[in-house]
Structure formats: C-alpha cells, structure tokens
Amino acid sequence: MGDPPPVTAAEWSEPPQAGLRRLPGLVLGAVRLAVSAAPREFALVTALQAAGGLGLVLPVLGGRRLLDRALGGAGLTAVLAQGAVVLALTALVAVAVAVASSRDEVLSERLNRYAMGRVLDVACAVDLEEFERPAFHNRLERASMSARIRPHQVVQGLGSLTGALMATAGVALALAAIEPLLVPATVAAGAPLWLAGLKSGQVLYGALFRLTPAERERSYLQDVLTSRRAAAEVRAFGLAPHLRSRWEARTRERLGEIRRTVRRRLRITLLARAVSGVALAAVLGPLLARAATGAMPAADAGAAATAVLLLASRLRAAAAGTDQLFEAAPFVRDLGSFLRPPERAPAEPAPPPFQVLTVENLGFRYPAASRPALDGVDLTVKAGQVVALVGENGSGKTTLAKLLSHLYRPGSGRILYDGADVASAAPEELRASVAVLFQDFERYLLPASDNIALGRPERAGDRGAVERAARAAGADPFLRGLPDGYETLLGPEFAGGTDLSGGQWQRVALARAFFRDAPFVILDEPTATLDARAEHDLFERLRDLLAGRTVLLISHRFSTVRTADHIYVLAGGRIAEHGTHASLMAAGGRYAELFALQAEGYLDPAAIPGR
Ligand SMILES: Nc1ncnc2c1ncn2[C@@H]1O[C@H](COP(=O)(O)OP(=O)(O)OP(=O)(O)O)[C@@H](O)[C@H]1O
C-alpha cells in the first residue's frame, strides 16, 4: 500500500492538486494490494474490462463499415460477412462484460478478505494502550469500512478507466483524421468533469471522516440494543426507548451530514457539467458555423461533429472511472496509513523467567486520565512466592497487574528481571511466561474445551492437560455434566450452545490460566463470583496447584489474602504499606483497618484483634 503519511483531520480539505499528486501512488498501492490478494482475478477482470471498453467501439465502427458497404453496393456475401463480424464482436463484448462482472464479484471478496485481514493483523498487533484512545478507534473504524469496498473501487475505477481510455483513443484517432485540433479542444471540454470528480471524492471523504465518532456511537448503541449481553438489563431498566432515541439522534446527524454532502456533490457535478457543456458547445459552434457558411463541406462537418460528440461521451465514461478512483483515493490513503506498521526499536529477546522481579518507581497514566493510575510504585516478588495486592477500588491494582504482565509499557520507572530492565525485551516473549486471569475475563462463545485450551493455543490438542486444568479449577464436574461434555458450545446464541453461571464461567477462566502453565501467575479477583465453599477450596489448594510458580493475587477478600507470603497495600496509585499479614495487622495501618472493617461483617467485634 505504499508508505503514505498519516491522515490528519485536515485531510479532507486538502486542495485538489494535492489529491492529484498522490493519486498515482495510491492507485499503485491499490493495484499492489489487488495483485497480492487475487492476482488471477485482477488480471482477468482488468483485461476483460479493457476489452469490453474497446469492444464497445468496435461494433459501432464495424456497423458504420457495414452500412457503407450496403449503401456502396457491395455484394450480398461481403455485406453478410461484415454483418457476421459485427455480430460476433457484439457477442464477444457481451460475453467479456458478463465474465468480467462475475469474476469481479470474486475479486471484490478476495480483496475484502485480504485488506480486512491486514486490518485485523494491525488491530491485534498494536499496543493495548492504543485501545484507550478514541483516535485509534476512529482510525480502526474507517480502516475497516474502507477495507470492505475502497481497494475494489480503485481496481474497478482503473478497469473502467482503461476500457474507456482505449475507446477514447480509438475515437480520438478517427477525429484527428478529420480535424486534429478538435481532439485537444474536446478533451479540454471534458476536464471540468475530472476536476469535479476529484473535489467530489474529497467532499465525501471529509463527510465520512467527520461522521466517524458519531457513527461509532451509533454502532455501539445498535450493539447494546441487539446483543444478548445487554438484553436483560435493557429490559430490566426499560432502557430501549432511551437508547433508541439516542440512536435516532445519531442517525439524524448522519442523515443531515449525508444530505449536506449529497447536495454539495450535486452542486459540484452540475457546475462541472454546465461548464463542460458550454465548452463542448464552444467546440461544436464554430464547426457548425463553418458548415453553414460553406467554409467546410457539410458532410465533413457532420462527421466531425459526430466524432466530437462520440469522443465527449467516451470522455464522460472515462470520467466515471476517474470518479471512482478519486472517490476511493482518500480512503485508500487512510487505510494505507492505518496498515503502516508503527515504528519501534528492534526488541531484544526476553530474559528467562525471573528469580526476583523488582519494580522501581513505576508510574503509569491512562491516555484519557488526568491523574496517574500508578505513581512511584516499588515492589519485589521472589520466584515461588504468593504475593497479594490489596487496596480500595481504583487504587491501581489491576493497572499494576497489567504492567507486570507486559500489556502496558511503564510510563516511568522500571521493571527488572533479576536486576535487568526488561523495557527493550519483546513484550510478546515476556508475556509467554505469564498467565493472567482478568477480573473481566472473556467468555468465548466456543466449545468448553476450547475456552480452556485458549490459555496456550499451541497445546490445544492436549486433552489430558485441558481436563487437568479443569479439575484444578473445579470446573470438571459441571463440564462433564453438559450435553456434549467438554465439547459443548458455550453460547446459547448458536445452535446446540448453552450457557454457564457466572461462577462456572470464572472457573473455566481459571482453568484457562492453569492450562497456560506459566511460571508467573496473576490472578485478579479470581474468586469474585465463586461461592464460599469453592473459594475456600481453591485457596486451600492454591499453593499445591501452583507449586513452584510465582503468584500475584489481587483480592478484596482478606480471608484469602492473609495467607500470602507478602502483601502490598495500594492507595491512590502508590504503595501505602507492605509486609506479612501479621506485621501489617501489628502496624495497625490501612491494611488492619480494611481487614477489621471486613471482619466486622462476619464476627462479633469483640473477637477482632485490636478492637
Ligand atoms: N482505561 C482507563 N482510562 C482512564 N482511567 C482508567 C482506566 N482504567 C482505570 N482507570 C483509572 O485508573 C485508576 C486505577 O484503576 P484500577 O482498575 O487499576 O483500580 P483497581 O485498584 O484495580 O480497582 P478495583 O478494585 O475497582 O478493581 C482508577 O482511578 C481508574 O479510574
């Protein structure tokens, strides 16, 4: 797709000449994309479209000769032979056009698959932090929309332009034989149409560029109104009318912008046609005047005028091709800029799993946030330890877990494996030795066994390991009880699918983390939805289950935290205190206070130490 610069908000208002300058590069980029996506279809469709374009003129010229011969008294055989040629040509053109259009459907699909595949590759490769930025989502939305139709539009435009230009060249040659000067004059009369196509394409892109955020909101609302995930809450709170009216508002905005754009494009087209029509009249006028005054034989003037009109109609067909190119060009440029890989310093190989993980003065701020989520965090985790993170909502626990699992890069400070900074190591390699169970883990609408095996897809075939992980997470009994056991599809939206309870889903997600079999395990609220017995069982067995591994445990349940080897208490993105349960209780600080608050709910206050 070439190497176009990133698209800015001002893109759509760029002057037409800038668009013209970039066009060859963009066409080349789209052609390269088509050649990579579907070389055979691309060659065939382009050749057939060109042949179709040329073929449109040949029967006309052949018909003229046929008429000449018939009127000129040529023999019946010669006339019939000429007629057969014209018929054959017409049939050939019809076949070429039909085959081109059917192959074009396949080409469109393959182009879409290829371009969309690349969009998906980029979306999966970008840093997680990008997903926090609205600008990224706008670009992703536009790239996805563009990938669907625009590269194909360039190829189509190119095909019809090639065909139209071949036909144009044929007519231009015929006209040049009568009156050479009329050729550039007629071409000049068609120029406004091309300029209008260029401007009109930019106007459309500008409108869709401006509409992207509203369009994303509209899609989001559509999703909420139609997804199973939100269906219960939408009904329980009676949200449909409210959400529907927000959707209507976005839709009205869209309609307004589209109306304005259509009107603007129509004005541009009408103006161009008017100017072009006047220019064409200026070409034809003197010709007819010369014929009227006898300065030119009427037959020559008639032939020249017919050729001028034919050339003008071919030029209009060529303008239809360029219109497609001009319309697609800014979108293809936008797509190209999205697909351009971000510049990154080459990553070094990741070090082996740590014996000691040290965090020094770690800081991180979400792009949309005004305050840092983590600020000056220092922490040490030794291999084989169970370390707990506690703290009130929003204190930074999940953010720290995401940094330690190398999903976000530190904003400041360092993460050290055995004393060596891992900042320049490849994050995906570092992540290979970490297993994370997120608080808001994903529920994959896939068979139960896949839901577990996705913990390490390259070992997905190891059925024994899948079942061991399920047993460890306490998921085995209920998975066996499903209609197709481990092969049951977890997604009632699909035929044969079923659903699990919240706690059962959490155990499946836990099994996924176990299946990953990584030396560093991060569990963010792993028991939030488990019943009391399941939670108790899990923590009783956690050390055995994860023997030899390092565990970072985030939990609001102090009963599960107290057994950790070391506990860090976060407050406002900083480490407020740390130590063992006993030392923290003895210190009587924030931990002791939170512990006591929770215990109060269960126990007689007199039984709580320090009360
Ligand atoms: N994507 C985000 N964009 C902006 N701010 C965020 C984002 N995610 C979290 N925050 C903010 O960062 C801070 C830390 O959030 P974090 O999720 O790490 O807290 P937590 O301790 O895990 O909370 P909880 O106990 O509720 O899970 C909070 O102030 C939160 O509002």
Side-chain angles (χ1 to χ4, degrees), residues 34-93:
V35 170
S36 315
R40 268 184 338 129
E41 270 84 10
F42 174 63
L44 195 66
V45 169
T46 313
L48 287 174
Q49 275 179 335
L54 188 60
L56 281 175
V57 196
L58 290 180
V60 178
L61 298 178
R64 280 258 303 277
R65 270 192 78 189
L66 175 64
L67 219 61
D68 288 349
R69 285 196 174 188
L71 297 175
L76 182 66
T77 326
V79 172
L80 282 179
Q82 185 69 33
V85 170
V86 172
L87 264 179
L89 278 175
T90 313
L92 265 178
V93 170

Side-chain angles (χ1 to χ4, degrees), residues 27 30-35 41-43 45-46 49 104 107 111 149-162 324-325 328 332:
V27 169
V31 167
R32 260 195 245 130
L33 191 103
V35 170
E41 270 84 10
F42 174 63
V45 169
T46 313
Q49 275 179 335
D104 192 45
L107 174 65
L111 260 175
I149 47 171
R150 301 302 172 181
H152 179 240
Q153 195 179 15
V154 173
V155 172
Q156 258 191 334
L158 207 60
S160 42
L161 180 65
T162 315
Q324 299 233 52
L325 287 181
V332 171

Side-chain angles (χ1 to χ4, degrees), residues 114-159:
Y114 186 82
M116 197 58 213
R118 290 191 56 192
V119 170
L120 293 179
D121 290 343
V122 170
C124 294
V126 297
D127 282 347
L128 181 64
E129 211 176 308
E130 285 298 311
F131 285 82
E132 307 290 338
R133 299 178 206 277
F136 169 75
H137 288 282
N138 290 340
R139 295 179 69 213
L140 176 59
E141 167 87 4
R142 284 201 310 275
S144 308
M145 299 298 286
S146 295
R148 226 164 278 156
I149 47 171
R150 301 302 172 181
H152 179 240
Q153 195 179 15
V154 173
V155 172
Q156 258 191 334
L158 207 60

Side-chain angles (χ1 to χ4, degrees), residues 132 366 368-369 373 392-399 439 556:
E132 307 290 338
Y366 287 99
E392 292 171 50
N393 292 137
S395 54
K397 305 180 294 297
T398 298
T399 308
Q439 201 175 9
H556 288 292

